[in-house]
Amino acid sequence: ETNVTAVHTLDDREEVANLFTHYGYTALPVVDKEHRLVGIVTVDDAMDVLQEEATEDMELMAAMTPSEHPYLRTNTFDIWKQRIPWLLILMLSATFTGIILTHFEGALMSCAILTSFVPMLSGTGGNSGTQASTAIIRALSLGEVRFSDCLEVLWKEFRVSLCCGICLAAANFVKMMVVDYWLLNNPSVTPMVALVVCATLVCTVACAKLVGCSLPILAEKLGLDPA
């Protein structure tokens, strides 16, 4: 056999593990720079690597530093060290929301009811961005998406965001009219206020999904872990 699929001694172990998924082999030869056989990698080795990498990605996406030990065998102080840096970063970054709200304080005071919908808008935006980023991180790890596919990914997520945003806006408009305006008899929730909130919801979902899908691709291009 002259056309042999092999891996090199310096190859990244996650990329080697993905070859088993791509080709369906049960073993792969390992060669050095002179293409001399130095060993083999089997599919059970690949499964161990993929499990470790998947666990690490899940922990990073949940804003935790990856741990090498099982949960029950990790002491409280180590878990604290894994979580507190990310919590501090996220807390400080959340202050930008307060700065933005302060900038629009005059507009919000003229229609105070809008303030009550800010948590819903920010939460929906965060959930929308998480959906997009999770899908793209998985596609990157499986080799389904590359940096050259960035424009195609953005276009696809933009169309998805419009579909999701319009559906969410329609449901929210009905909820505001039926529950807030009619059942709770809140005169501040007018059809115009509902339209403003729903239009903002569509824009928020669109922005969140575009940012959520582009940041992992950019991170991969810069050599960072997309998770």
Side-chain angles (χ1 to χ4, degrees):
E1 295 290 341
T2 56
N3 186 20
V4 178
T5 301
V7 297
H8 293 83
T9 52
L10 300 179
D11 285 349
D12 183 82
R13 64 176 193 165
E14 186 176 4
E15 295 178 0
V16 173
N18 288 331
L19 289 177
F20 285 91
T21 304
H22 182 73
Y23 291 106
Y25 294 150
T26 57
L28 284 172
V30 182
V31 298
D32 58 17
K33 292 182 179 180
E34 287 75 31
H35 297 283
R36 294 176 299 191
L37 182 67
V38 295
I40 63 170
V41 179
T42 58
V43 67
D44 57 332
D45 298 325
M47 293 298 293
D48 292 338
V49 170
L50 290 174
Q51 181 180 5
E52 292 175 11
E53 294 294 335
T55 302
E56 179 180 326
D57 288 345
M58 288 174 61
E59 290 176 330
L60 286 172
M61 285 189 289
M64 294 188 298
T65 303
S67 173
E68 298 179 356
H69 306 289
Y71 175 78
L72 293 178
R73 296 183 182 179
T74 306
N75 62 51
T76 303
F77 185 71
D78 289 336
I79 295 177
W80 169 78
K81 288 193 299 182
Q82 294 166 9
R83 299 182 184 182
I84 194 61
W86 294 100
L87 290 175
L88 289 171
I89 293 172
L90 293 172
M91 182 186 69
L92 293 175
S93 65
T95 59
F96 288 107
T97 303
I99 296 174
I100 295 172
L101 289 176
T102 303
H103 181 72
F104 292 99
E105 186 176 2
L108 290 173
M109 287 181 64
S110 64
C111 189
I113 191 64
L114 291 176
T115 308
S116 63
F117 296 102
V118 170
M120 180 273 293
L121 292 170
S122 59
T124 303
N127 294 333
S128 300
T130 300
Q131 286 182 336
S133 62
T134 302
I136 297 303
I137 289 171
R138 179 182 181 277
L140 287 170
S141 65
L142 296 177
E144 300 173 352
V145 171
R146 294 177 175 83
F147 183 77
S148 57
D149 302 318
C150 187
L151 291 179
E152 185 177 354
V153 171
L154 287 171
W155 174 234
K156 180 183 288 291
E157 286 297 329
F158 177 71
R159 288 177 291 169
V160 172
S161 69
L162 287 182
C163 295
C164 292
I166 291 173
C167 288
L168 290 170
N172 185 64
F173 185 85
V174 173
K175 177 262 179 187
M176 291 179 68
M177 289 292 94
V178 173
V179 177
D180 297 310
Y181 180 71
W182 183 46
L183 293 180
L184 298 180
N185 195 24
N186 190 341
S188 300
V189 181
T190 63
M192 184 56 66
V193 169
L195 287 174
V196 169
V197 173
C198 293
T200 306
L201 185 59
V202 174
C203 295
T204 300
V205 171
C207 292
K209 285 196 176 293
L210 292 178
V211 172
C213 72
S214 58
L215 284 183
I217 297 177
L218 180 61
E220 179 83 2
K221 182 65 176 179
L222 296 176
L224 304 174
D225 190 338

